[in-house]
Amino acid sequence: MSSASFLKKTLCLVKFLCHPLDFQFKNIRMTSKSFELHGNFHVKADIYKGLTIETHNLSLSDEEFENNLKSSLIYWIKEGIRGVWFKVNIANSSYVPILVKHGFLFHHAKTSYVMLTRWLPADEPNLLPQYPYTHIGVGGMVINDKNQVLTIQEKYHQIPHWKLPGGYSNPGEEFGDTARREVFEETGIETKFVSVVALRHHHKHIFDCSDIYVVCHLKPASETITKSNEEIAKCEWMDIEAYRNHPEVTEFNKLIMEAFLESQRLKTSIAASSILSFRKDCYNKVYHVRSTDDS
């Protein structure tokens, strides 16, 4: 080892021993892919000058945690960090009041953790994104070759009415996949996705969230109904004309049927195409209008 290299490493060691937090912070790469050690915290930096800390690997006492937090906040502010995200595992829930004491706010919670945030710049508005606030529900408009639509009455309701089978999307699930799954779970009928018919955007829904309800046109592989006794009171194939005029079909569902019939008359549909993502690491579904006229 050359004398210059030895001197450089010695100076780095001295700096680390004198200012460990400062040294470790300045050596955090601004990346969103890995966690690095900062004091006793494992920190993941992002491209927006933000940090995420997870507590699942911490075994600090509450006093040690608070001392480390106070020191870290001083250095984060000094170095221009903007947003700090603390993901507190349920096993470390005693850290939550400490974080609140030091200006952190609740962002969201799941069964195994709670996320708290703090926006550090005093002269900038808080730009941290909100937690997702929209539910996605999907209905399946299953039309057979007899010009009938598959309809259900739910077991639990305020007012009895006929509607389309459907339910909420699971994480990572496409509209068509949700529609097919829900139709099968509720009626026992296998289907194939054809197109999106329409959607409704509703606000002030469950937990004060917004709700997007997407109706998909599906083609049945069979017509034999095996209804779910846990969820469904009645299930039947109903003539479209009867459905359009039925007193126990809501105006919304009648409008959706009219939209479907209009698209059939115009020979158009909202189809799905798979497009390579911007990052070129997966394919995304893009829904767009296209002609169904094969002539």
Side-chain angles (χ1 to χ4, degrees):
M1 181 185 296
S2 67
S3 58
S5 177
F6 176 78
L7 179 60
K8 183 178 180 180
K9 289 191 174 184
T10 302
L11 289 173
C12 285
L13 178 61
V14 170
K15 184 177 181 182
F16 171 74
L17 293 173
C18 294
H19 305 285
L21 286 174
D22 192 33
F23 179 84
Q24 291 180 45
F25 175 77
K26 289 182 177 178
N27 282 275
I28 293 175
R29 294 189 298 273
M30 298 306 283
T31 174
S32 60
K33 295 184 178 180
S34 61
F35 281 87
E36 298 193 21
L37 190 64
H38 175 205
N40 287 307
F41 295 149
H42 286 267
V43 172
K44 182 170 70 172
D46 60 45
I47 61 174
Y48 305 103
K49 300 191 74 175
L51 301 176
T52 298
I53 301 97
E54 295 190 10
T55 69
H56 69 274
N57 51 13
L58 290 181
S59 57
L60 302 175
S61 68
D62 289 355
E63 183 179 359
E64 291 170 332
F65 176 81
E66 184 167 19
N67 289 336
N68 204 74
L69 176 64
K70 288 190 290 188
S71 299
S72 296
L73 283 170
I74 291 171
Y75 280 96
W76 292 337
I77 292 171
K78 173 185 173 184
E79 296 298 328
I81 291 299
R82 303 171 80 206
V84 181
W85 303 75
F86 249 99
K87 184 178 180 180
V88 182
N89 186 274
I90 193 169
N92 305 115
S93 56
S94 62
Y95 296 163
V96 171
I98 298 171
L99 288 162
V100 172
K101 175 183 174 182
H102 290 278
F104 283 79
L105 302 175
F106 291 105
H107 188 265
H108 69 274
K110 291 198 173 182
T111 54
S112 61
Y113 73 86
V114 60
M115 182 73 81
L116 295 95
T117 64
R118 180 174 165 184
W119 182 253
L120 298 184
D123 57 348
E124 293 182 37
N126 188 340
L127 299 178
L128 295 177
Q130 297 182 51
Y131 190 66
Y133 48 85
T134 300
H135 296 285
I136 301 292
V138 183
M141 180 174 280
V142 186
I143 308 292
N144 65 15
D145 293 335
K146 301 172 187 175
N147 225 26
Q148 296 173 318
V149 59
L150 183 63
T151 61
I152 64 166
Q153 281 194 6
E154 293 179 323
K155 192 172 182 179
Y156 304 101
H157 51 69
Q158 293 178 323
I159 301 173
H161 62 282
W162 290 99
K163 57 171 288 189
L164 304 175
Y168 284 114
S169 282
N170 291 328
E173 195 172 43
E174 299 289 346
F175 297 150
D177 294 335
T178 301
R180 293 177 60 250
R181 174 180 56 77
E182 286 287 344
V183 167
F184 180 75
E185 289 175 359
E186 294 181 356
T187 71
I189 292 179
E190 294 276 9
T191 58
K192 179 181 178 181
F193 172 80
V194 180
S195 66
V196 169
V197 177
L199 63 86
R200 177 199 66 202
H201 197 189
H202 174 65
H203 304 287
K204 299 293 181 181
H205 195 57
I206 299 173
F207 308 121
D208 204 30
C209 290
S210 297
D211 179 81
I212 294 177
Y213 176 67
V214 181
V215 178
C216 296
H217 175 204
L218 304 177
K219 185 175 181 179
S222 68
E223 297 183 16
T224 303
I225 294 172
T226 307
K227 74 177 180 68
S228 166
N229 293 322
E230 289 77 22
E231 299 181 73
I232 308 303
K234 298 179 183 179
C235 180
E236 67 178 57
W237 291 100
M238 186 181 295
D239 289 338
I240 287 179
E241 195 59 31
Y243 184 85
R244 294 172 70 190
N245 296 286
H246 201 293
E248 292 183 359
V249 174
T250 66
E251 292 304 311
F252 167 72
N253 280 300
K254 290 178 181 179
L255 176 63
I256 296 300
M257 178 57 74
E258 294 303 319
F260 169 74
L261 295 174
E262 180 69 8
S263 70
Q264 296 294 293
R265 286 191 290 269
L266 295 175
K267 296 184 178 181
T268 60
S269 69
I270 302 174
S273 296
S274 293
I275 302 296
L276 187 63
S277 71
F278 174 76
R279 295 180 180 176
K280 302 186 185 303
D281 57 356
C282 66
Y283 281 84
N284 296 323
K285 286 287 179 66
V286 176
Y287 297 87
H288 56 94
V289 176
R290 74 174 182 189
S291 172
T292 59
D293 191 351
D294 296 327
S295 60

